Amino acid sequence: IFVEYSYRAVKGNSSGHSFTKRIMLFQAGNNFLNHDGYFTYVPNAKIRSLGLFSTQNPKLKHDIKIEYDYVIRTNNAGLVMQTDLIPSDRVLFVIGDSFTEGQGASAWFYDLEEDYNVPPIKPVNLGILGTGPQQWENLSKSVSKQFDLTVEGSVVNIIPDDMNRGIWTFQETELNCLAHISCDYNFGFQGYDFKLQETDEDIKLSVLQTLTENKLLPADENSSTALIKQYVKRSHVVFDLHNAYTMNFRRYNPLPNQDSLIALKKAVADNFYVNVVSMKTVNSANFLSYRFARELIGFLEKNDIKYSWCDIPDSGYHIIDGHPNDEGYKVLRSCTEDALAKLIK
C-alpha cells in the first residue's frame, strides 16, 4: 500500500484524466456480422455510435464523459462507405483498422469518395475497427471474390499496434448485448436504445445507473479470478509495469501479420503503399523507442515496401480516446489521397 500511494504521489496524474474505462454504445439491433476470419458491419445500415469513458468506480454523472457521437453508414458489403460495390468494379483498396474506418467522427472516407475523380476506378474502404493485417487479408480476399472485383492496388493505413493483433470476431454474448440490450457485462461494446434517452445528460445518467446497479465485469470476466484481476489492475504500479513489459519484453509473434502484409502486396502485383500512421504517443520522431513501431519500420524496409509516415498532430486526437478527431482525420485523408495517387499507373 505504501509503495502504491508513494508511486501515485510521485507520478501524479500524468494521463491528464482518470477516465480509464471505455464504453462503446451502438444503436440496438443487428450491427455487426461475423464471417470466417473477419467481421463487417451489417450492409446498408445507419448506426449511431457513441463513445463514453468512465472512472474506475463511477458514482456521479461527472464520472462519465462522452468523447464522441456520430452516425455510421454502410454500403451493400457492410463497409463504411457510401458507394455500393458492383460486380467487376475496378477498385483501389484502402485497408486498415479503426483509423481507416473513421471511428470517433463522421467517416472521412465519405468525403474522399465524393472528391475522388479517377474514373472508372473506385476507392473501397476496408477499414474495420480493432483489426490487424491477418484480418485485413481475409476481408480483402472475401470482398474481392464476392463481387468479382479487379483490384488495381492497395493502400494500407497501419498504426504500429496493429502488428500485435490477431484474428477475432464477436462473441455471442456481445452480439446479444448489441442486438437486444441483453448485457451481462459492463464496458466494451454495448447495445443501446437512443430513442429512450436522447440528450447527453440523459445518456450519461442511464449509463451511470447501469454501472452502479449491475456491478458486472467486462465481457468474459465474470469469475472470481477475473474479479481479483480487476482489483489488481487498479494498481498504478502493476498497470505501468505490465505496460512496460508488454511493449518491450513480452514475446509475440509478428510473422503472421508480416506474412499477411506481404500477401496483400502480392495480391496487387506490388502496386502497394503503406502509410504508417502516428498514435498519440508514437510518431516519426520518436518511433525508435517503441518496439512495435521500430519492428514495423524494419520489416517494411527489409521487404522493399514503399511507405511514409502520416503524422497526426497532438491537436488531432480526442482528449481521452486514442482515435483522431475531425481535424486529425483530415490529415489521414490527405495522406491516403497522396498514397492513392502513387498507385495510379
Side-chain angles (χ1 to χ4, degrees):
I1 292 173
F2 174 77
V3 170
E4 175 68 23
Y5 281 95
S6 297
Y7 181 72
R8 293 189 186 192
V10 172
K11 176 185 175 184
N13 192 16
S14 60
S15 65
H17 62 81
S18 58
F19 298 92
T20 57
K21 294 294 184 180
R22 183 172 67 175
I23 307 165
M24 292 174 286
L25 301 182
F26 294 83
Q27 177 60 50
N30 294 319
N31 297 318
F32 295 95
L33 288 177
N34 284 335
H35 303 275
D36 185 15
Y38 69 99
F39 65 87
T40 63
Y41 285 95
V42 169
N44 304 121
K46 179 180 177 182
I47 306 164
R48 184 177 175 185
S49 175
L50 188 146
L52 305 95
F53 281 81
S54 162
T55 59
Q56 186 72 44
N57 294 298
K59 295 180 175 62
L60 301 171
K61 184 176 62 177
H62 298 299
D63 295 330
I64 306 286
K65 284 194 179 294
I66 295 177
E67 189 81 315
Y68 57 76
D69 185 358
Y70 66 108
V71 174
I72 300 165
R73 293 179 176 84
T74 66
N75 70 352
N76 61 335
L79 305 174
V80 183
M81 54 185 292
Q82 300 181 101
T83 310
D84 283 343
L85 299 184
I86 300 171
S88 301
D89 266 345
R90 293 176 60 192
V91 302
L92 289 170
F93 280 162
V94 179
I95 301 170
D97 60 11
S98 53
F99 281 42
T100 301
E101 176 189 312
Q103 183 181 347
S106 179
W108 59 270
F109 199 87
Y110 301 152
D111 294 328
L112 185 147
E113 286 180 278
E114 291 178 0
D115 295 341
Y116 194 77
N117 189 27
V118 188
I121 299 175
K122 177 188 298 182
V124 174
N125 186 5
L126 294 188
I128 297 290
L129 77 172
T131 57
Q134 295 173 75
Q135 211 145 331
W136 304 341
E137 181 187 3
N138 294 340
L139 173 61
S140 64
K141 284 181 178 179
S142 178
V143 171
S144 298
K145 182 178 180 180
Q146 180 183 355
F147 291 93
D148 190 26
L149 302 176
T150 299
V151 186
E152 304 281 351
S154 293
V155 170
V156 169
N157 293 327
I158 187 169
I159 63 173
D161 281 1
D162 291 339
M163 296 302 288
N164 193 35
R165 291 176 174 172
I167 295 172
W168 68 281
T169 53
F170 284 89
Q171 300 169 28
E172 197 62 35
T173 55
E174 292 174 302
L175 292 176
N176 285 335
C177 176
L178 285 161
H180 309 296
I181 322 180
S182 176
C183 308
D184 59 359
Y185 61 89
N186 283 333
F187 312 117
F189 293 88
Q190 300 270 330
Y192 192 86
D193 188 352
F194 289 104
K195 295 177 182 178
L196 295 180
Q197 294 92 15
E198 294 186 346
T199 70
D200 287 357
E201 297 305 303
D202 288 342
I203 292 171
K204 287 196 289 185
L205 284 173
S206 174
V207 170
L208 177 64
Q209 182 177 5
T210 300
L211 293 176
T212 54
E213 289 183 356
N214 287 352
K215 302 297 182 183
L216 298 171
L217 292 170
D220 273 349
E221 295 193 7
N222 285 306
S223 69
S224 58
T225 301
L227 184 61
I228 295 172
K229 181 179 176 183
Q230 288 301 305
Y231 278 105
V232 171
K233 279 183 176 181
R234 296 178 188 177
S235 165
H236 289 208
V237 174
V238 173
F239 183 82
D240 287 352
L241 285 175
H242 178 268
N243 277 351
Y245 172 74
T246 300
M247 291 300 101
N248 296 290
F249 303 107
R250 183 174 67 86
R251 289 186 178 182
Y252 81 105
N253 183 11
L255 292 179
N257 281 322
Q258 292 177 356
D259 290 344
S260 289
L261 286 176
I262 290 174
L264 288 168
K265 180 173 179 279
K266 289 182 178 178
V268 290
D270 296 344
N271 195 28
F272 187 76
Y273 198 88
V274 173
N275 284 319
V276 180
V277 185
S278 65
M279 302 186 298
K280 269 188 174 181
T281 57
V282 183
N283 54 48
S284 63
N286 65 7
F287 77 91
L288 288 175
S289 63
Y290 190 72
R291 177 187 183 188
F292 296 150
R294 185 172 63 247
E295 293 184 3
L296 171 60
I297 296 301
F299 162 76
L300 296 174
E301 292 179 348
K302 180 181 178 181
N303 290 275
D304 296 320
I305 296 176
K306 297 186 290 291
Y307 79 93
S308 61
W309 275 91
C310 181
D311 281 326
I312 297 172
D314 292 343
S315 60
Y317 296 94
H318 287 291
I319 295 172
I320 304 173
D321 192 85
H323 290 90
N325 54 31
D326 285 324
E327 293 305 310
Y329 278 130
K330 288 179 182 178
V331 176
L332 182 55
R333 174 190 167 187
S334 178
C335 292
T336 303
E337 289 173 337
D338 291 344
L340 287 170
K342 292 180 174 70
L343 301 183
I344 300 300
K345 298 178 179 178

